[in-house]
């Protein structure tokens, strides 16, 4: 299936709702910094507010994802988006409020819509035939990378050109538009019998290796984004190149997502694809730490970006194979929280290491952490696949047994029928002979 076949009214409506719902998420951290930067200690306060926002996302995503109704998720999604919009609007209207109030509003802004990205992905895959799922998720990745590329420019232009509160107010409006847009989409994505809460939780817990690999992938993105300015200074390269180099990484990711969706199936299983691609991205980021010039760093970052998006897509497709349809949104939400946690942990580690080691060494240490996470995830995923294979074998044997028993019983009854007929005929013959003897 080609990308052109995704240009249907439901998918286009989904794209509009995704832009309205996810653009505020991408704008939030930088918008919070600009909101309070002119206050005393503004940058520190902005970092605290951004941290509160991210904590709200990480904590709420799995909790809300588990509570989504796969058949009728629309009211829950609308409520979450409305809470997020209220939090952003409150921040825009009360920029001079006490820091505790601002932190609480930022927490709401992050927590409210935390389950929306996962639910929208589940809805998208229900809008297209099974053969087009890879293309649909590739299209989603391209759209999201575009959103994240546009968000910093939009925030900077509005905050500096109009007023610091305007980005937050726009984010509130966008959240409201996303709520309205939900009514152009299906109310849910249920495609199979719904499991109970315990079975959903068990399915989610069994998929933990995929979440670990997801966290590993985002540790690399954190290293590229957060340490690059310091690395450029270490190399004697103008820090102004950081924005262009990161833009190259994002463009490479969008191109990689598009290329991955051009084929329905790539060599190897999805877990193997994800593992190989994450290791390749890690190699690219490690090269960034040792290359001497901006040109070579740009080449390494673009190459890493080309592979970053396919690695993420392979992980999400693998997760989709592991989980029942009723648990998809919850699984995507847990993945969202896992990658956010990976980003936060890597950023914290990098910040601490920069105080004691050179930026290049900090990047290599971060790549080492990624390698450890990849090892843990790969071992766990291999065990999970073995367990699934054994379960499928047992289920196949059980089905074969259930199909085999009735056939043997039918065969036995079929074999018995001629014998009964023969005995009946024999009995009838002996009775006739007795009657003839009496007549004589």
């Amino acid at each position: 299936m080609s990308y052109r076949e995704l240009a249907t009214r439901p998918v286009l409506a989904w794209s509009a709702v995704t832009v309205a719902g996810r653009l505020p998420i991408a704008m939030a951290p930088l918008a919070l910094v600009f909101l309070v930067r002119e206050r005393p200690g503004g940058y520190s306060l902005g970092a605290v507010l951004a941290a509160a926002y991210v904590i709200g996302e990480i904590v709420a995503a799995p909790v809300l994802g588990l509570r989504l109704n796969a058949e009728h998720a629309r009211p829950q999604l609308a409520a979450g988006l409305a809470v997020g919009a209220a939090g952003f609007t409150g921040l825009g209207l009360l920029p001079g409020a006490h820091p505790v109030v601002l932190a609480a509003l930022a927490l709401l802004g992050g927590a409210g819509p935390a389950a929306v990205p996962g639910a929208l992905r589940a809805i998208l895959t229900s809008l297209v035939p099974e053969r087009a799922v890879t293309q649909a998720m590739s299209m989603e990745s391209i759209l999201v990378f575009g959103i994240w590329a546009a968000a910093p420019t939009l925030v900077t232009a509005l905050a500096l050109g109009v007023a610091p509160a305007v980005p937050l107010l726009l984010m509130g409006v966008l959240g409201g538009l996303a709520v309205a847009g939900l009514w152009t989409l299906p109310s849910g994505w249920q495609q199979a019998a719904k499991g109970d809460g315990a079975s959903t939780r068990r399915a989610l817990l069994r998929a933990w290796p995929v979440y670990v690999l997801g966290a590993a992938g985002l540790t690399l993105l954190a290293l590229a984004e957060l340490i690059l300015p310091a690395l450029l200074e270490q190399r004697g390269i103008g820090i102004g190149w950081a924005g262009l180099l990161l833009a190259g990484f994002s463009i490479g990711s969008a191109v990689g997502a598009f290329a991955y969706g051009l084929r329905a199936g790539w060599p190897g299983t999805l877990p193997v694809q994800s593992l190989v691609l994450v290791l390749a991205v890690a190699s690219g980021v490690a090269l960034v730490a040792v290359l001497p010039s901006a040109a070579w760093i740009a080449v390494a970052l673009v190459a890493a970006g080309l592979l970053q998006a396919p690695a993420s897509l392979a992980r999400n497709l693998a997760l989709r194979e592991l989980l029942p349809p009723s648990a998809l949104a919850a699984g995507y939400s847990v993945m969202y929280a896992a990658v956010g946690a990976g980003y936060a942990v890597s950023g914290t580690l990098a910040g601490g290491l920069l105080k004691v080691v050179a930026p290049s060494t900090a990047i290599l240490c971060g790549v080492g952490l990624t390698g450890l996470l990849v090892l843990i995830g790969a071992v766990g995923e291999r065990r999970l696949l073995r367990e699934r294979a054994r379960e499928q074998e047992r289920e196949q044997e059980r089905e074969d047994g259930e199909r085999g028993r009735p056939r043997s019983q039918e065969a036995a009854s079929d074999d018995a029928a001629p014998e009964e007929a023969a005995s009946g005929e024999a009995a009838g013959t002996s009775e006739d002979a007795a009657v003839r003897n009496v007549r004589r």
Side-chain angles (χ1 to χ4, degrees), residues 16 44 81 95 114 117 178-180 195 211 218 225 273 281 304 306 316 352 367 375 380:
S44 297
L81 285 167
V179 170
Y211 308 137
L218 260 287
E225 289 186 344
Q273 290 178 23
V281 176
L306 280 169
N316 286 317
V367 171
L375 177 62

Side-chain angles (χ1 to χ4, degrees), residues 3-69:
Y3 282 106
R4 185 178 300 175
E5 295 181 72
L6 295 177
T8 62
R9 180 174 293 181
V11 174
L12 293 176
W14 177 91
S15 300
V17 174
T18 297
V19 171
R22 299 199 68 168
L23 185 54
I25 294 173
M27 294 171 64
L30 187 58
L32 291 169
V33 172
F34 273 110
L35 181 70
V36 297
R37 73 185 184 93
E38 295 182 357
R39 293 174 58 162
Y43 284 110
S44 297
L45 176 58
V48 170
L49 295 181
Y53 173 82
V54 172
I55 290 171
E57 281 189 307
I58 293 173
V59 173
V63 174
L64 296 178
L66 279 168
R67 285 165 171 73
L68 283 174
N69 185 328

Side-chain angles (χ1 to χ4, degrees), residues 61-407:
V63 174
L64 296 178
L66 279 168
R67 285 165 171 73
L68 283 174
N69 185 328
E71 294 176 319
H72 305 289
R74 185 187 292 150
Q76 295 163 282
L77 299 180
L81 285 167
V83 169
F88 294 140
T89 303
L91 287 164
L93 294 176
L94 303 170
H98 192 277
V100 174
V101 175
L102 296 179
L105 291 172
L107 191 71
L108 284 178
V116 171
L120 287 177
R121 181 176 297 147
I123 290 174
L124 173 63
T125 55
S126 73
L127 293 174
V128 299
E130 183 67 26
R131 61 191 175 89
V133 167
T134 299
Q135 285 80 10
M137 294 182 71
S138 297
M139 182 270 294
E140 180 206 20
S141 184
I142 296 169
L143 185 64
V144 170
F145 276 113
I147 290 170
W148 280 89
T153 302
L154 181 60
V155 170
T156 303
L158 291 175
L160 298 181
V162 186
V166 171
L168 276 302
L169 296 174
L170 174 61
M171 290 154 60
V173 172
L174 289 171
L177 292 175
V179 170
L182 287 175
W183 270 260
T184 66
L185 303 179
S187 60
W189 58 89
Q190 183 67 47
Q191 298 175 348
K194 183 166 59 177
D196 57 25
S199 62
T200 298
R201 283 191 291 272
R202 282 196 300 270
L204 293 174
L205 289 174
R206 289 184 63 190
W208 67 265
V210 186
Y211 308 137
V212 173
L213 287 174
L218 260 287
T219 61
L220 296 170
L221 181 59
L223 293 173
E225 289 186 344
L226 301 177
I227 306 184
L228 183 60
L231 178 70
L232 294 178
E233 287 188 346
Q234 180 188 359
R235 295 282 185 266
I237 303 170
I239 196 172
W241 284 97
L244 291 175
L245 292 172
L246 291 175
F249 181 91
S250 297
I251 293 170
S253 296
V255 173
F258 178 80
Y260 189 81
L262 291 176
R263 290 183 58 175
W266 290 85
T269 63
L270 290 171
V272 171
Q273 290 178 23
S274 176
L275 179 62
V276 171
L277 288 168
V278 169
L279 291 175
V281 176
S283 300
V285 175
L287 283 175
V288 169
V290 298
L291 291 173
S293 66
W296 285 111
I297 291 174
V299 171
L301 281 175
V302 171
L306 280 169
L307 301 175
Q308 171 73 18
S312 175
L313 287 166
R315 285 193 303 272
N316 286 317
L317 289 169
L319 184 64
R320 186 174 182 270
E321 287 186 349
L322 286 172
L323 298 178
S326 59
L328 280 178
Y332 293 143
S333 296
V334 174
M335 176 71 83
Y336 187 74
V339 298
Y343 190 99
V345 170
S346 181
T348 303
L349 175 65
L353 288 174
L354 283 176
K355 297 178 181 179
V356 295
V357 299
S360 57
T361 305
I363 290 179
L364 294 175
C365 290
V367 171
L369 171 63
T370 299
L372 177 62
L373 292 176
V374 167
L375 177 62
I376 294 171
V379 172
E381 199 161 39
R382 187 174 181 180
R383 291 181 59 187
L384 176 60
L385 293 176
R386 286 178 176 175
E387 290 176 3
R388 286 190 68 203
R390 285 196 294 267
E391 289 177 0
Q392 290 173 355
E393 289 177 2
R394 286 195 295 266
E395 185 176 350
Q396 187 64 41
E397 291 175 358
R398 186 164 54 250
E399 290 178 357
D400 292 343
E402 290 175 354
R403 285 196 298 265
R405 280 195 297 272
R407 283 200 298 269

